[in-house]
Amino acid sequence: MFYSRYFIPTIKETPSDAEVISHQLMLRAGMIRKLASGIYNYLPLGLRSIRKFENIVREEMNKADAIEMLMPSVQPAELWQESGRWAFYGKELLRFRDRKEAEFCLGPTHEEVITDMVRREIKSYRQMPINFYQIQSKFRDEIRPRFGLMRGREFIMKDAYSFDVDSSAADLSYEKMFNAYMRIFERCGLNFRAVEADTGSIGGSSSHEFMVLADSGEDAIVSCDACRYAANIEKAESPLFTAASGSELEPLLKVSTPDMKAIVDVAAFLKVATEKTVKALVYASDKGDLVMALLRGDHELNELKLKNHLGWDEILMATEEQILACTGSPVGFLGPIGLAKDIPVIADRVVKGMTNVVMGANEQDQHYTNANLGRDFEVSGFIDIRTVEAGDACPRCETGKLEMWRGIEVGHVFKLGTKYSKALNATYLDANGREQVIFMGCYGIGIGRTVAAAIEQNHDENGIIFPIPIAPFHCSVVAVNTKDAGVMAAAEEIYFCLEKLGIEVLFDDRDERPGIKFKDNDLIGIPLRIVVGSKGLAEGNVELKIRSTGEVKSVPLADVAATVKRFVDEALAHAE
Ligand code: ATP
Ligand code: MG
């Protein structure tokens, strides 16, 4: 590709509306441009990286026996009504009517469409296992589109859907996809973790998210420093509790704690460690159910764990009125002793081993000291409801410690079970001619988000440092002085030679100052750069620069193409 005839509109200044580095660099490198909030044009350079990554995904999907197809973006409302998601999906689903007033939506995901296709076409156990995938634009009317391609409203996703005769066959399909995902992100050279994830509203079976580690990541994840355990913090299990050998129970005492609402203040005021305190939080469901959750004073509550345990659709902090009505006390002095109303009290497992604790007395400015479980209060269950912390013991191997990271979710694999096949009546006939429900799995990868995440992990102050497998070009050839016929001839020769060898080359033939060319080349992150100048040429040499290490070598003109070819081949082979 001749740079002068191509289109790479680079920008010097950092765009003020881009918060994260990948967004800034994708704009500055001329890869993307915003059309509307969360909606982007993929400019030529951006599209090249996107296509590169798509092809890695495609290769690995094909290797894992998934079959490519393409479904429409526009989906009829009826299918979503059948699955029950029309009412449930909320505002992320962009809905509209056609000229006949029929309702449609723009597909945020394609479970309904694929299940509809499968129920019509797959009739026998002999046709399974089968897995269909597509690489296609999704639309989600995200409440806060941001970070460029990272959280767009229109974005490209690879989505795959597996269909199996039963749950254990579906497990195998899941495993195949899991392994394919591992290879995909390894091939891109990304530092990532596959973490256990919450199954959310779909419930039941299991799910893993693939998280690229980056400080700008929206998710918090933990991983064990000794074993393979890794989980989204939403889901991460706190270490198994072992009961402390009990100390003598002291008599319960009510003490005045004027204006001390925060448990740390109460602890400081009473001169006890926060580990000796228990805090009580009251939560409400959208239907008005109330629950009190007890937690060691220095621990954080994991609302999702509590919500999943209760089976609520939504979990909300109780309002001041709700709290007053059920405890008889204003916020800040709550506890399980002497509740005004009989509401369920759920305690974190850690609370079980605590003795002689400080807790609220359900009275303005009053706390108890030496409160004891069994003697002074009861709870309806001990559940893991706390958020894990860095340094916690690993819940699996129990010898390792949990480390905490920020992560960008680039992929998600999901065992769906029969949720959609039941709702849409997707069945098959088994070997005995009996009708059975199909078992499903679904598997997504954010294409643009992964490219953005790769940039988030690979950049320096000069710009992007593309990993070779997803670089828009492998190599650039920069002619230092385009007016020098000898320089241009040599540069062109290298360019055509590289092209012949199958290397993707950007030939910077622009009539610009070398400084500008070098800056642009650094910014757009091409992994290898050959600089052709008259000085070097006089000795028969050109300069080869490796973007990732900054290493510069002088290479004989005659060898440079072969050197680049070897470098690229090695990097790509390593990535396979
Ligand atoms: P998130 O929690 O980030 O909103 P999600 O759980 O809604 O993601 P899935 O429905 O599992 O995402 O979609 C599959 C993949 O599509 C995600 O792993 C992510 O890589 C990508 N993705 C989801 N939403 C967006 C978006 N708004 N912009 C870009 N990529 C997205
Ligand atoms: Mg989402």
Side-chain angles (χ1 to χ4, degrees):
M1 184 65 64
F2 283 66
Y3 203 134
S4 63
R5 290 177 230 159
Y6 201 47
F7 183 69
I8 311 177
T10 56
I11 303 170
K12 267 208 212 90
E13 292 76 31
T14 302
S16 58
D17 58 341
E19 290 169 68
V20 297
I21 194 81
S22 58
H23 187 196
Q24 293 168 3
L25 288 175
M26 288 179 99
L27 288 168
R28 288 190 54 210
M31 295 176 73
I32 56 167
R33 287 292 183 265
K34 182 163 123 181
L35 174 67
S37 169
I39 303 179
Y40 288 85
N41 282 311
Y42 301 94
L43 302 191
L45 197 72
L47 185 64
R48 283 186 76 104
S49 270
I50 296 269
R51 291 282 185 256
K52 281 283 187 69
F53 181 55
E54 284 178 2
N55 282 333
I56 291 174
V57 172
R58 189 172 274 120
E59 277 174 30
E60 295 301 334
M61 285 295 110
N62 294 347
K63 266 195 233 165
D65 300 321
I67 308 168
E68 186 165 11
M69 64 176 292
L70 185 59
M71 289 175 258
S73 309
V74 175
Q75 306 185 3
E78 286 81 16
L79 279 180
W80 285 73
Q81 281 150 356
E82 233 183 298
S83 74
R85 283 209 285 189
W86 189 256
F88 174 76
Y89 212 94
K91 289 198 165 172
E92 263 188 35
L93 190 65
L94 186 64
R95 304 156 207 246
F96 54 95
R97 288 170 192 273
D98 69 5
R99 63 170 73 199
K100 293 181 186 141
E101 290 296 309
E103 285 188 293
F104 289 88
C105 64
L106 281 184
T109 173
H110 280 66
E111 283 82 9
E112 282 80 0
V113 176
I114 192 73
T115 310
D116 176 61
M117 194 277 276
V118 162
R119 72 177 164 185
R120 292 164 199 274
E121 309 296 335
I122 305 286
K123 303 281 184 202
S124 155
Y125 70 98
R126 289 196 193 87
Q127 293 167 284
M128 288 177 282
I130 198 157
N131 185 333
F132 297 103
Y133 79 95
Q134 63 172 347
I135 297 175
Q136 188 252 17
S137 283
K138 300 280 182 273
F139 194 94
R140 295 182 183 178
D141 203 353
E142 297 274 355
I143 187 165
R144 275 189 74 201
R146 59 194 181 138
F147 303 162
L149 299 193
M150 206 79 95
R151 184 170 295 286
R153 292 198 295 164
E154 184 178 307
F155 58 96
I156 305 172
M157 193 201 284
K158 184 287 300 177
D159 44 330
Y161 306 89
S162 63
F163 298 86
D164 281 283
V165 292
D166 58 25
S167 175
S168 56
D171 286 351
L172 292 181
S173 295
Y174 182 86
E175 209 178 295
K176 257 175 139 173
M177 283 294 109
F178 182 95
N179 293 333
Y181 275 42
M182 293 295 288
R183 285 196 299 274
I184 288 167
F185 299 116
E186 274 162 14
R187 278 182 67 175
C188 298
L190 295 171
N191 184 9
F192 70 97
R193 296 279 187 287
V195 306
E196 293 179 11
D198 182 58
T199 47
S201 53
I202 294 175
S205 36
S206 79
S207 154
H208 285 88
E209 289 163 342
F210 289 76
M211 295 282 188
V212 167
L213 307 186
D215 291 341
S216 60
E218 291 184 290
D219 286 272
I221 61 174
V222 291
S223 65
C224 175
D225 61 7
C227 77
R228 292 183 53 171
Y229 181 72
N232 192 310
I233 196 133
E234 292 179 343
K235 157 99 182 183
E237 298 154 38
S238 56
L240 261 188
F241 148 80
T242 34
S245 46
S247 38
E248 287 275 309
L249 302 193
E250 306 284 340
L252 183 69
L253 211 65
K254 198 185 270 183
V255 291
S256 163
T257 50
D259 283 335
M260 308 269 165
K261 289 188 174 178
I263 200 77
V264 277
D265 298 337
V266 176
F269 179 71
L270 296 175
K271 300 195 173 54
V272 297
T274 39
E275 293 94 84
K276 294 288 287 178
T277 66
V278 164
K279 60 183 171 192
L281 303 160
V282 181
Y283 280 90
S285 76
D286 47 338
K287 301 189 178 66
D289 308 303
L290 293 171
V291 70
M292 175 175 274
L294 301 184
L295 214 58
R296 201 172 84 180
D298 57 328
H299 286 166
E300 287 292 317
L301 184 94
N302 181 325
E303 292 186 0
L304 197 65
K305 285 184 183 174
L306 182 62
K307 169 175 171 271
N308 287 347
H309 168 72
L310 295 166
W312 288 358
D313 289 337
E314 244 185 287
I315 189 158
L316 310 158
M317 294 290 293
T319 61
E320 280 179 27
E321 295 76 56
Q322 282 173 318
I323 290 173
L324 193 62
C326 71
T327 66
S329 159
V331 183
F333 311 95
L334 308 183
I337 304 173
L339 285 167
K341 271 200 196 123
D342 193 17
I343 58 166
V345 178
I346 289 172
D348 181 63
R349 294 181 303 181
V350 172
V351 174
K352 198 173 184 177
M354 296 174 71
T355 50
N356 300 324
V357 300
V358 169
M359 54 170 49
N362 288 326
E363 222 179 298
Q364 173 89 41
D365 297 339
Q366 300 290 319
H367 277 81
Y368 282 118
T369 59
N370 302 327
N372 281 293
L373 180 73
R375 185 190 69 184
D376 308 316
F377 66 98
E378 294 292 346
V379 301
S380 38
F382 295 97
I383 314 291
D384 173 16
I385 47 170
R386 68 171 269 249
T387 304
V388 298
E389 289 163 26
D392 275 356
C394 171
R396 286 298 142 76
C397 71
E398 289 173 36
T399 50
K401 293 247 172 302
L402 294 183
E403 295 178 302
M404 185 100 63
W405 313 90
R406 303 293 311 173
I408 300 168
E409 181 200 320
V410 287
H412 200 169
V413 291
F414 227 112
K415 285 183 198 168
L416 286 173
T418 56
K419 179 181 158 91
Y420 295 94
S421 43
K422 250 194 200 141
L424 273 73
N425 199 30
T427 61
Y428 68 97
L429 295 181
D430 68 14
N432 302 315
R434 272 197 302 260
E435 192 177 12
Q436 307 275 9
V437 181
I438 295 175
F439 276 74
M440 290 175 58
C442 70
Y443 317 92
I445 290 181
I447 301 289
R449 187 184 283 186
T450 305
V451 172
I455 293 172
E456 212 56 50
Q457 254 182 17
N458 298 282
H459 66 266
D460 62 13
E461 64 284 2
N462 297 319
I464 303 168
I465 306 174
F466 270 114
I468 287 196
I470 57 166
F473 293 93
H474 300 136
C475 181
S476 63
V477 176
V478 180
V480 173
N481 182 356
T482 48
K483 301 220 165 62
D484 183 327
V487 164
M488 279 307 269
E492 242 177 83
E493 190 189 322
I494 297 169
Y495 169 69
F496 286 114
C497 189
L498 285 168
E499 287 246 295
K500 240 187 240 144
L501 292 172
I503 301 297
E504 299 164 10
V505 204
L506 182 65
F507 178 21
D508 197 344
D509 60 334
R510 290 176 301 164
D511 184 17
E512 290 279 5
R513 277 186 291 127
I516 291 186
K517 293 194 194 185
F518 294 152
K519 269 215 162 67
D520 278 343
N521 275 268
D522 275 342
L523 175 60
I524 65 179
I526 311 299
L528 296 168
R529 177 202 303 174
I530 299 167
V531 180
V532 187
S534 50
K535 244 202 240 147
L537 272 189
E539 287 156 23
N541 290 330
V542 294
E543 206 180 66
L544 178 63
K545 182 172 178 187
I546 298 164
R547 177 74 179 86
S548 58
T549 58
E551 193 190 342
V552 181
K553 289 191 255 198
S554 179
V555 182
L557 177 63
D559 298 344
V560 73
T563 309
V564 166
K565 167 83 174 151
R566 251 195 328 271
F567 193 98
V568 171
D569 282 352
E570 255 167 47
L572 293 179
H574 181 72
E576 265 171 36

